[in-house]
Amino acid sequence: MGYGDRPNHRQTNRGHRFGKGMRPSTTNSQFMMKQYVEIGIGNTWWVRTEVEDPDGTEHEIKGCRSFRRVEGIYLRFWIGKSVWIMSTNEGLKTTRRNRPAFKVLFGISGIPAG
């Protein structure tokens, strides 16, 4: 059974999370899995966990999953096509997206447990 077959799972293939100059955490030249727990308005669920696999594919799960290690926290405001992110890792960052949306999110990023 794939992720798309399970209730409360949605798989996306958005390999664009890492923009210019941004790199995922690496160990022995291999990408590690990353996890993002987001709470707020604008996502599929009020609380969701997004897991990014080493190959760049992502899937989201309803609810909160535990971390092995927390790497940062962030606030994301997405209004129209403009996105503002205040992060403990990267400071204040602004980007533009192709599709309009409204999101106000508090997020935690890190390495997933087990």
Side-chain angles (χ1 to χ4, degrees):
M1 178 190 295
Y3 285 111
D5 300 332
R6 297 183 196 168
N8 298 332
H9 280 74
R10 186 173 73 175
Q11 185 171 1
T12 58
N13 191 4
R14 295 177 291 169
H16 63 271
R17 176 175 293 282
F18 303 107
K20 243 183 206 179
M22 295 172 54
R23 298 281 186 262
S25 300
T26 58
T27 300
N28 298 332
S29 302
Q30 293 182 354
F31 294 120
M32 294 175 61
M33 289 181 65
K34 296 284 288 187
Q35 177 172 291
Y36 304 89
V37 174
E38 295 181 331
I39 301 166
I41 301 169
N43 282 336
T44 309
W45 304 288
W46 282 92
V47 179
R48 71 139 186 186
T49 301
E50 179 180 294
V51 179
E52 187 174 275
D53 296 320
D55 64 0
T57 59
E58 300 172 345
H59 61 275
E60 60 182 19
I61 305 162
K62 184 177 182 179
C64 182
R65 302 288 188 239
S66 62
F67 288 94
R68 179 181 339 156
R69 183 177 72 225
V70 173
E71 294 186 336
I73 59 172
Y74 58 92
L75 285 172
R76 179 181 306 181
F77 301 97
W78 183 338
I79 301 170
K81 294 184 178 184
S82 298
V83 182
W84 298 274
I85 303 169
M86 290 182 282
S87 167
T88 56
N89 295 338
E90 299 179 26
L92 181 62
K93 181 176 142 183
T94 60
T95 60
R96 299 275 301 168
R97 301 293 177 143
N98 291 331
R99 66 179 179 90
F102 178 76
K103 296 183 179 189
V104 178
L105 302 168
F106 169 76
I108 303 169
S109 62
I111 306 297

